[in-house]
Amino acid sequence: MKDNFGREITYLRVSVTQRCNLNCVYCGKTDCAKKETELSPATIRQLVRAFVACGIKKVRITGGEPLVRNDLCEIIAGIRSIGGVETCALTTNGVYLAQAAGALKAAGLDSVNISLDSTDGSTYRHLTGADMLKKVLAGLDEAERVGLRPIKVNAVLMKGVNSDGAGALIDLARRLRIDVRFIELMPFSAQGEDAALRVTGDEILTQFPFLRPLDPADGVAQYYAGEGFAGRVGLIRPITRKFCAGCNRIRLLSDGSVKPCLGYDTAYPLLPFLGDDERLREEIRQIILKKPAGHSFENQTAGHGLNRTGG
Ligand code: SAM
């Protein structure tokens, strides 16, 4: 369905947990809700089915870290069994992906985005608080092996922290048939120093002038090719090239509330309407109509960690 700005809302991001096994410096991980408060696979399926009745076609599972849930395959299979769901994707830090990839694929997962901010072990440990780089790279290999496609690597660069590793990340796209995308730092961590740390898309293009634009933009990312590259490089620029005018997404949080926009802490509870599917759908339609024109990250912090929303 369309929101009040004529945008077709077709993409649902489902955060299945606030828990996470990493502590990324820029995530500003806050108040991880207890496992007990997380929605069951059956409730997630019921809610997703109501969203699909309101026009959702694509579902992405996120978190916290979704692979900390040992019933994730059941959640995926439940979502996949809903008529009208065209794709079911996962965003993960990849730490547990090597052991889960085959089962996720068998459960009906289509594709995976892996968050990887550095291919240097000590930088990775500094950024995430864990010495897990080898596991993540093994997860990437396994995702490729079992056929989870497309595989996208998402990286957030910060000046003086991991920006010197951009070339090594781009090299993954040269060697592998994957997309490596750089997401501009958004103001979620409490420090509020994101503007000074942020590496913009334009700065990346200046540093790597061999990247040639591929048209048209694909979703929120603008893609680039390099000579002889097997994969692509993408830039996601929520700060310097806001893409709110084309936003097609809405977010279901792990407590069953709905966040129309990443930029605001407002979330609307859905659990009170679980007993009445028509009322539930009407509630979702009203929330979609409340979607704001866009975030204002360029001049405010979001005031909460991204582990609540899932990115
Ligand atoms: N745990 C999963 C993961 O690591 O991909 C899913 C949740 S995580 C919050 C989703 C994405 O949000 C990750 O790619 C992460 O890099 C990104 N992210 C977190 N904080 C961010 C920030 N301040 N600015 C930009 N991206 C951020």
Side-chain angles (χ1 to χ4, degrees):
M1 74 174 267
K2 289 190 190 308
D3 71 359
N4 273 336
F5 298 93
R7 299 172 295 193
E8 198 66 54
I9 306 305
T10 58
Y11 179 6
L12 176 66
R13 294 175 74 92
V14 181
S15 178
V16 295
T17 180
Q18 289 183 18
R19 293 177 289 138
C20 186
N21 50 332
L22 297 182
N23 275 302
C24 301
V25 290
Y26 52 73
C27 174
K29 187 164 94 171
T30 49
D31 60 280
C32 287
K34 296 267 173 294
K35 186 173 174 177
E36 300 66 46
T37 62
E38 292 167 357
L39 303 179
S40 70
T43 301
I44 291 172
R45 184 179 186 283
Q46 184 184 351
L47 291 170
V48 172
R49 201 171 47 150
F51 275 98
V52 171
C54 299
I56 292 295
K57 295 183 170 50
K58 176 180 172 186
V59 179
R60 178 169 295 281
I61 294 169
T62 183
E65 172 45 42
L67 284 172
V68 302
R69 280 199 63 159
N70 51 26
D71 56 358
L72 190 61
C73 289
E74 189 184 345
I75 292 170
I76 291 166
I79 291 171
R80 250 309 180 194
S81 69
I82 300 168
V85 171
E86 292 174 1
T87 59
C88 183
L90 173 72
T91 291
T92 173
N93 58 34
V95 170
Y96 300 140
L97 186 56
Q99 58 264 45
L104 293 169
K105 173 77 177 171
L109 188 69
D110 291 290
S111 62
V112 64
N113 288 8
I114 301 169
S115 302
L116 176 63
D117 300 320
S118 178
T119 56
D120 168 74
S122 58
T123 306
Y124 182 88
R125 190 173 51 247
H126 165 71
L127 282 168
T128 63
D131 201 356
M132 294 288 172
L133 177 62
K134 283 201 179 81
K135 282 183 179 265
V136 177
L137 295 174
L140 196 163
D141 289 343
E142 186 64 7
E144 242 196 326
R145 198 186 66 77
V146 304
L148 287 170
R149 284 250 167 249
I151 296 174
K152 298 175 184 174
V153 164
N154 287 342
V156 176
L157 293 179
M158 287 170 282
K159 288 191 173 90
V161 180
N162 64 337
S163 48
D164 58 354
L169 285 161
I170 288 175
D171 199 53
L172 289 176
R174 186 183 57 75
R175 290 187 291 115
L176 305 171
R177 200 161 54 85
I178 64 172
D179 290 338
V180 172
R181 297 139 26 115
F182 296 102
I183 306 175
E184 288 176 344
L185 180 67
M186 291 180 278
F188 284 99
S189 56
Q191 290 96 327
E193 68 210 19
D194 41 277
L197 286 169
R198 184 177 302 123
V199 176
T200 67
D202 285 350
E203 287 171 325
I204 293 171
L205 293 177
T206 306
Q207 192 181 349
F208 301 98
F210 60 80
L211 293 173
R212 291 273 166 270
L214 292 166
D215 285 326
D218 174 358
V220 296
Q222 172 65 51
Y223 285 97
Y224 297 79
E227 192 63 40
F229 273 45
R232 303 182 300 178
V233 174
L235 297 179
I236 298 174
R237 304 186 243 194
I239 310 296
T240 58
R241 294 267 184 99
K242 270 173 89 165
F243 37 79
C244 299
C247 184
N248 64 351
R249 57 193 66 190
I250 193 156
R251 291 170 170 83
L252 173 63
L253 307 190
S254 60
D255 62 1
S257 59
V258 182
K259 183 186 267 280
C261 176
L262 191 58
Y264 299 91
D265 212 7
T266 322
Y268 301 90
L270 278 187
L271 299 189
F273 310 103
L274 281 180
D276 173 351
D277 275 350
E278 186 34 51
R279 183 81 177 75
L280 185 60
R281 286 193 289 266
E282 185 50 30
E283 198 59 27
I284 291 169
R285 283 190 277 267
Q286 291 309 315
I287 294 168
I288 288 175
L289 293 174
K290 287 178 189 149
K291 229 174 115 59
H295 69 68
S296 49
F297 285 152
E298 59 282 11
N299 50 38
Q300 78 169 66
T301 62
H304 57 83
L306 212 53
N307 66 304
R308 281 197 52 215
T309 321

